[in-house]
Amino acid sequence: MTKPLTMGSLLLLTTALVAPSALAQTTGAADPQEKVEVSIPGGSGGDIVVTGRNIPEPIRATPEVVSVLSTAEIARTGEGDIAGALQRVTGLSVVGNGYVYVRGLGDRYSAALLNGSPLPSPEPLKRVVPLDIFPTNVLSSALVQKSYSVNYPGEFGGGVINLTTKAVPTKPFLEFGASVGANTETTGKLGYTYYGSSTDWIGFDSGNRDVPDGIKQAIKSGKPINGGNYTTAELQGFASSLINAPTTLLQRNGDIPANFSFDLSGGKSWDTAGGQLGLIAAASYSNSWRTRDVLQQSSLDPELAGTPQTNFNTVITENRVLLNGLLGLGYEFGDGQAIRWTNLYIRDVLKQGRLSSGFDRNVSDPVAGQPDPLIKQNTYWFERQLIDTQLVGEFKFGNFDVDLRGTYANSKRKSPYERGFSYTYNNTAHDYINNLASGGQSADIAFSDLNENVYAAAGDVTYQLPTALKAKVSAGYAYTKTDRSSSRYQYQYFRPDGALPLAVAQERPDYLVSDYNIYTYNIQLRDVSSSQGAAAYDAGLEINAGYLQAEAEFLPGLSATAGVRYEDAKETVRPIGEGLVQTNLKKDYFLPAATITWNFAEDMQLRIAGSKTIARPQFRELAEQLYQDYESDRQFTGNPRLVDSKLTNAEARYEYYFGRGERVTVAGFYKKIDNPIETVAFFAGGGALRTGFANAPEAQLYGGEIELQKYFPLEPVFGSADFWASRRLLVAANYTYTHSKLKVGDQIVYGPQQDQIAANLLFRDGAPLTGQSDHIANLQIGFESTDKISQQTLMITYASKRVTNRGPIQGEARQPDIVEKPGLRFDLVAREEVNFLGSTVEIKAEARNLTATKYQEYQQSDAARIYLNRYDIGRSFSLGASVKF
C-alpha cells in the first residue's frame, strides 16, 4: 500500500520538526513497514518522486539532500524576513544585506526561486535576489537543496533555495500583527538625516527626486552636459534645475525614532461542484532605523605600515521602509490537480544620511606637509521594487503527471539624487570651506536607474512505468529570458573662473549651490560619467534547457535518481560609450547528476551524490559601471572579460531519524571549481579603494557538516502536573566545516581593471575563496508546549572570519586580503499564545545580539591592522503581537 503526498501535504508534515503532536492529529500513527511516496515539484522540472520505507521524517523521503523550513520553524526563529530564518539551517550563513551563502560559497553559487520559478534581483550588485526583502508572513516554507538534480537550473554551486508562498487555505482566517522595537546604538541616539520629500515615510518620493526635464532630455539626446555641447547659460540652468535644500541639507537628529511594523493577512476557500477555490492575501509595512558610527581606513603600503592613507569616522543613519503585498488564487480539483495564480509585490526603500570627518593624505597642506582635515557629507535614496506574477498548473492523466509554469517578473532599482559634498579645513578662515575647485573640495550628484524583466516558462512530464519495479521517468523543458537596462549619470558642480570667494566657500551645502550663487558666481554642471566607466548598458541572458531524469527502487531500500540536463545560454552586456568592451558569452553544457540512496535500516540511510554544474558571471560583474553599495559603503565596478565557472560536485551523507522531528545527520562534500570568480580590491585614481572581479584559474573546496535535533519531555523531570505534561525541551545544533583553496600559478589572467596579470600575483596560491567561513555553527535551546504556542528559544550563531576581497596590488606587491569577522551572537525569542476577548493573540518578544558583537572588516599584516569598516551593531529588542479572528 502506498500513500501519495502532495507538496502541500509534505509542508504540513514538516511541522513535525517542531510539533509532532500536530502531525499526530492530522495523519495518525504510521506503520513503520508502510511505504510512503513523496512528490515534490522541482525547480525547473517535473516532480521528484521516490519510494522508500516509511520513516517519521518527511525530508528523508526526498531523493536529494534537502532542508525544509516550515511555517512553524520560521516562526520559532522570530525573524521578520526569510534571510534571518535561513541562517539557522545547517551550512547556511547570511552575508551583507540578506544574501545567503551555502557552505561558505558566495551568493553567485546560490539560486533563489519562488514557487519553482526564477526571480530577478532588484539590486544591481547581485543577480541573486536579497532574501531579506521577503517577509515571513507571505511564505509557507523554504526548501534548501544542497545536492544537484537535473530538474533545477544548471547554475548550482552551493545550493538552491525555493521559497513557497501560501496557497489555498484549509479554513478561513484573518490575522493582524504589529510590533515595536529599539536598538541600543540607534534608538533615541544621535543620527543624521534629511528631508527629501513629504512622502518618504511611506517609501515613495513625492516627485522631488525626479530627474529634471532638461537633464533628462540631455541624456536622451546622447550629448553629454559640458561646454562643448551647451552654452554657459544652459550649464547654469542644468545646475539650478536640481531640487536643492530638501535633498542636500543634512540635519542632526538627537532622538532617532523606534522601529515599528504591522501586517495583515487573510484567506478563505469555497467548495465548488468540481473542487475547491481559494483566495489568500497578505500585506505588511515596516519602518526601521539604523545608525552606524563607522571607522573607515585604507592604506597604500604593502605592509599596512605607517599612517593610513585615509582615516575617517563616519556616522551613517538609515531609514528603511519595506512594503509587501501578496495575492494568491488557487483551484484544486480531481485527484491532486491544481491551478494557482500568485502575485507578489515588494518595495524596499533606504534613505541614508552620512557625515564623515577625517583625512585623506592626497589632500595635504603644501606648507605643513600634513593631511588637511576633511568633512564629507552624503545623502542617498535607494529604492528597490519587485513585481512577480506566476501561473502554475498541475495535472494528472493516468500514469502521466504534467506540470506547467509561467512567470513574469519585473524589478527596478533607482537611486536619484546621490549627493556628495567635501570640505577641507582652511587655516586662514579657521573654518571648513568648499570652493568647488581645489583638491578635496567638491560637490557632485548622480542618478542611477535599473529596470529588469524576466520571462520564464517550463513544462514537465512524469511517467510512472507500469511495472512491478517502482520507477518513473521525467522530462522537461524550461525557457528563461532576462533583459536589463541600467544607467548611472554623475555630474559635478564646478566654476570655470577658479575658486569661489572665501566667504561663499564657507557656506553650508544648500547655500553653496543655491540659485543665487549659481548665477552670481557662474557655477555650472558638467557630466563626469565617462570617467566612471559606462554611463549606461543593456544586458540580456537567454537560456533554453531540457532534461531527462529516471528514478527507481532497484532493490528493497536501494533507490537511485539519475539524469542529464542540457542548457544553451547566451549572455550579453552592451555598454553605451566609446572604448568600452562588450561581453558576448554563448555556451552550451551537458550537466549530469546522480544520487543513490540506501535505506539500510528502518531509521537510517546513506546517500551518495555526484554532479556537474556551472556558475555564470552576473551582469554587475561584467558591466563597466560604477555602483555604490550602501552596506559595505564601497564602490563596485565590473570586468567584461569574465568567463563561466564550471563545478564538479560530490557528497556523501549519513542520516539517522530516531523519532518524529528528531535526527542526526553527518555529511562530507567536495567541489572543484574551474575559473571561479573572485572579488578583488584595487586602488582607482586618487587612491580610492574599489571592488572589482577576476577569474582565478581553479579552486577546490571540501568539508563536512553534522546536525542534531532532539526533544526531551519535561514531565519525567518535573512531575506530572498539567503544566509540565505538555512541556518539552528542544536542542537543535549544527556545525559545518569548510576548507577551500585557490590553485594558481603564473598563468595570465584578466585583473579587475581588465589588465593582463600573472595569476599568482593577483591571487595567493592556497588562499580561501572569498566569502567562505571555515566554521559555521548554530545552537537552539528551547522550551515549548505541545498544546499551544508557548516557546522560549535561545539561539546562538557563530561564523568564523571570511575574506570579502582579495587584497589590492601595489606595484609588484600584494596587500593582505580584506577579512570580515562575523563572530558569535546570542538571540532570544519568546512566543506566547493567550486568549483575549474570545480571540487568539500571540505575543512575541525578541532580544538580538545580546553579546553586542561588533562588525569588523579589516586587513592585517603582523601587528598592523587597517579597518575598512568597524562599528557597533548594538543590541536590539522588540515586542509584538498578532491576533487571529
Side-chain angles (χ1 to χ4, degrees):
M1 171 181 164
T2 62
K3 286 185 178 181
L5 299 180
T6 64
M7 183 60 173
S9 302
L10 176 68
L11 296 177
L12 178 62
L13 283 176
T14 57
T15 60
L17 299 179
V18 293
S21 60
L23 178 67
Q25 293 168 4
T26 56
T27 65
D31 181 353
Q33 298 299 324
E34 181 181 18
K35 291 190 175 182
V36 179
E37 185 179 276
V38 179
S39 173
I40 305 177
S44 291
D47 290 358
I48 306 168
V49 181
V50 68
T51 303
R53 290 183 176 84
N54 175 68
I55 300 164
E57 182 68 44
I59 62 174
R60 178 176 179 181
T62 64
E64 307 298 337
V65 176
V66 302
S67 296
V68 178
L69 274 181
S70 67
T71 305
E73 286 188 300
I74 293 170
R76 178 192 297 282
T77 68
E79 301 284 356
D81 61 74
I82 194 62
L86 282 170
Q87 69 180 333
R88 315 296 175 181
V89 174
T90 307
L92 269 63
S93 57
V94 177
V95 179
N97 203 36
Y99 298 97
V100 175
Y101 285 27
V102 182
R103 289 172 171 168
L105 286 168
D107 61 277
R108 71 170 56 80
Y109 298 108
S110 301
L113 307 174
L114 184 67
N115 298 322
S117 294
L119 279 168
S121 175
E123 176 55 61
L125 295 177
K126 310 283 184 179
R127 185 192 302 153
V128 179
V129 65
L131 296 182
D132 67 338
I133 67 175
F134 285 92
T136 54
N137 70 308
V138 305
L139 300 175
S140 64
S141 72
L143 181 146
V144 182
Q145 182 169 315
K146 300 175 187 176
S147 62
Y148 179 63
S149 56
V150 298
N151 56 301
Y152 277 117
E155 284 197 76
F156 187 107
V160 64
I161 300 165
N162 191 11
L163 307 178
T164 304
T165 54
K166 294 178 178 178
V168 177
T170 55
K171 59 182 180 179
F173 74 95
L174 179 64
E175 184 172 351
F176 174 77
S179 69
V180 63
N183 177 272
T184 56
E185 292 295 318
T186 300
T187 311
K189 301 292 184 66
L190 172 66
Y192 293 93
T193 186
Y194 67 101
Y195 176 74
S197 81
S198 60
T199 56
D200 287 0
W201 67 276
I202 60 172
F204 291 88
D205 175 67
S206 67
N208 278 0
R209 297 181 179 89
D210 290 348
V211 181
D213 288 339
I215 295 177
K216 193 182 299 183
Q217 291 302 318
I219 292 173
K220 188 177 296 185
S221 71
K223 296 194 304 181
I225 295 176
N226 57 45
N229 295 319
Y230 300 94
T231 66
T232 295
E234 288 174 321
L235 295 176
Q236 291 174 336
F238 288 132
S240 66
S241 69
L242 296 165
I243 294 294
N244 187 15
T247 64
T248 301
L249 182 59
L250 195 65
Q251 297 173 297
R252 291 168 56 96
N253 184 334
D255 189 14
I256 296 295
N259 305 328
F260 67 93
S261 68
F262 59 82
D263 59 82
L264 177 68
S265 60
K268 183 175 175 58
S269 59
W270 298 267
D271 291 327
T272 66
Q276 189 178 49
L277 178 68
L279 169 69
I280 189 166
S284 65
Y285 169 86
S286 70
N287 190 310
S288 60
W289 294 81
R290 179 174 69 153
T291 296
R292 294 176 284 167
D293 189 350
V294 191
L295 173 62
Q296 297 176 314
Q297 301 173 317
S298 67
S299 173
L300 296 179
D301 188 89
E303 303 298 327
L304 311 179
T307 303
Q309 175 69 21
T310 61
N311 191 98
F312 287 93
N313 284 100
T314 304
V315 177
I316 305 173
T317 300
E318 297 165 347
N319 181 204
R320 186 182 185 193
V321 175
L322 187 59
L323 297 165
N324 297 277
L326 171 74
L327 178 64
L329 291 171
Y331 181 59
E332 296 180 350
F333 58 97
D335 181 19
Q337 303 188 81
I339 298 174
R340 294 191 300 274
W341 183 33
T342 304
N343 302 275
L344 180 68
Y345 174 81
I346 297 175
R347 184 173 179 85
D348 184 8
V349 174
L350 193 85
K351 179 180 180 180
Q352 187 183 92
R354 299 161 29 96
L355 186 64
S356 302
S357 176
F359 65 82
D360 182 337
R361 290 170 61 188
N362 282 330
V363 183
S364 301
D365 187 321
V367 177
Q370 297 294 323
D372 279 339
L374 280 169
I375 287 181
K376 297 181 179 182
Q377 78 153 60
N378 300 84
T379 52
Y380 294 122
W381 171 267
F382 303 100
E383 59 181 65
R384 304 180 294 178
Q385 180 175 286
L386 173 65
I387 298 174
D388 185 270
T389 182
Q390 300 178 345
L391 188 63
V392 175
E394 299 169 1
F395 309 99
K396 293 182 181 296
F397 304 97
N399 288 342
F400 287 93
D401 290 345
V402 179
D403 182 15
L404 301 175
R405 295 185 304 282
T407 185
Y408 166 73
N410 172 263
S411 66
K412 298 180 185 294
R413 195 263 198 183
K414 292 187 177 182
S415 179
Y417 280 84
E418 298 180 24
R419 281 193 178 272
F421 292 84
S422 181
Y423 287 68
T424 65
Y425 189 79
N426 182 275
N427 289 315
T428 301
H430 301 291
D431 195 5
Y432 286 89
I433 67 169
N434 185 352
N435 59 32
L436 303 180
S438 302
Q441 301 176 36
S442 62
D444 55 65
I445 186 171
F447 296 88
S448 298
D449 195 359
L450 177 146
N451 186 78
E452 181 170 301
N453 293 302
V454 173
Y455 308 87
D460 312 282
V461 177
T462 301
Y463 176 66
Q464 182 167 340
L465 298 177
T467 64
L469 177 68
K470 287 291 183 180
K472 292 191 177 186
V473 177
S474 302
Y477 168 77
Y479 173 78
T480 304
K481 182 177 175 62
T482 305
D483 293 315
R484 171 183 286 191
S485 61
S486 177
S487 64
R488 185 178 191 273
Y489 291 92
Q490 183 164 343
Y491 304 96
Q492 188 179 72
Y493 292 90
F494 82 107
R495 186 170 185 261
D497 304 323
L500 287 168
L502 190 60
V504 177
Q506 289 178 265
E507 293 178 344
R508 72 189 198 193
D510 57 325
Y511 288 172
L512 181 70
V513 295
S514 65
D515 288 355
Y516 175 82
N517 282 348
I518 286 171
Y519 289 105
T520 302
Y521 300 104
N522 189 22
I523 298 174
Q524 303 176 8
L525 201 69
R526 62 180 174 187
D527 191 334
V528 294
S529 304
S530 59
S531 64
Q532 311 294 343
Y537 72 87
D538 295 322
L541 175 63
E542 187 172 14
I543 303 173
N544 285 278
Y547 77 90
L548 182 65
Q549 180 173 267
E551 306 163 30
E553 184 180 27
F554 296 101
L555 297 170
L558 183 63
S559 59
T561 302
V564 63
R565 184 180 186 88
Y566 172 78
E567 283 198 359
D568 177 87
K570 182 179 180 181
E571 185 173 13
T572 60
V573 175
R574 298 176 298 277
I576 300 172
E578 297 182 0
L580 299 173
V581 178
Q582 293 191 7
T583 298
N584 291 283
L585 294 175
K586 183 172 175 58
K587 295 283 186 179
D588 63 330
Y589 299 95
F590 284 96
L591 304 171
T595 301
I596 297 174
T597 303
W598 180 26
N599 299 158
F600 60 89
E602 292 299 333
D603 52 3
M604 298 183 192
Q605 69 182 20
L606 180 67
R607 301 181 195 267
I608 299 176
S611 63
K612 287 193 174 183
T613 56
I614 57 172
R616 298 183 180 95
Q618 301 176 19
F619 292 147
R620 56 102 178 192
E621 296 171 342
L622 293 167
E624 292 182 79
Q625 189 178 81
L626 204 62
Y627 302 107
Q628 175 71 31
D629 177 35
Y630 60 80
E631 185 65 27
S632 64
D633 201 32
R634 261 198 305 280
Q635 291 181 322
F636 287 67
T637 188
N639 179 356
R641 301 185 187 277
L642 298 177
V643 298
D644 295 350
S645 304
K646 301 176 185 179
L647 295 90
T648 301
N649 314 285
E651 176 159 1
R653 184 181 182 93
Y654 163 78
E655 301 168 355
Y656 173 32
Y657 298 91
F658 48 89
R660 293 195 187 279
E662 299 180 326
R663 61 190 180 271
V664 172
T665 65
V666 180
F669 51 87
Y670 168 83
K671 296 180 185 292
K672 176 179 175 291
I673 309 175
D674 295 326
N675 300 314
I677 298 172
E678 291 283 279
T679 53
V680 181
F682 67 94
F683 289 105
L689 187 67
R690 291 180 181 167
T691 294
F693 306 92
N695 284 108
E698 183 183 320
Q700 292 183 1
L701 177 147
Y702 63 86
E705 60 187 27
I706 183 169
E707 177 186 17
L708 166 68
Q709 184 160 308
K710 172 67 177 173
Y711 291 100
F712 299 90
L714 297 179
E715 184 180 5
V717 179
F718 296 100
S720 59
D722 290 343
F723 178 82
W724 297 111
S726 62
R727 305 290 293 184
R728 61 184 181 180
L729 171 69
L730 164 70
V731 177
N734 60 69
Y735 167 73
T736 302
Y737 170 75
T738 307
H739 178 77
S740 65
K741 59 181 179 181
L742 297 178
K743 299 190 69 176
V744 299
D746 58 0
Q747 309 99 314
I748 300 300
V749 297
Y750 284 101
Q753 295 174 283
Q754 302 183 53
D755 50 326
Q756 290 188 313
I757 189 171
N760 54 10
L761 179 59
L762 187 62
F763 306 102
R764 178 174 58 84
D765 187 59
L769 285 163
T770 52
Q772 179 252 310
S773 292
D774 285 355
H775 308 280
I776 299 173
N778 291 283
L779 174 64
Q780 293 187 42
I781 302 174
F783 295 92
E784 65 183 27
S785 170
T786 57
D787 292 339
K788 64 174 185 176
I789 296 176
S790 178
Q791 298 175 341
Q792 302 81 40
T793 308
L794 172 66
M795 292 171 285
I796 303 173
T797 304
Y798 172 77
S800 62
K801 66 180 182 180
R802 53 192 170 221
V803 176
T804 60
N805 290 249
R806 302 264 79 99
I809 294 175
Q810 283 294 89
E812 293 298 315
R814 180 182 57 245
Q815 285 191 350
D817 290 339
I818 301 174
V819 173
E820 177 189 4
K821 185 179 179 182
L824 183 71
R825 290 186 56 160
F826 283 25
D827 296 338
L828 184 62
V829 176
R831 302 168 62 222
E832 195 70 32
E833 181 182 281
V834 298
N835 189 281
F836 181 72
L837 299 179
S839 297
T840 300
V841 178
E842 180 187 327
I843 300 173
K844 181 173 69 174
E846 304 174 49
R848 304 284 183 181
N849 194 29
L850 294 176
T851 51
T853 300
K854 297 181 178 181
Y855 181 85
Q856 299 181 73
E857 186 186 27
Y858 59 87
Q859 292 174 280
Q860 183 93 35
S861 178
D862 296 328
R865 177 176 287 193
I866 293 292
Y867 284 100
L868 283 298
N869 285 289
R870 186 187 69 185
Y871 57 89
D872 289 323
I873 300 172
R875 299 177 177 90
S876 296
F877 303 90
S878 68
L879 180 65
S882 62
V883 57
K884 297 178 182 179
F885 300 98

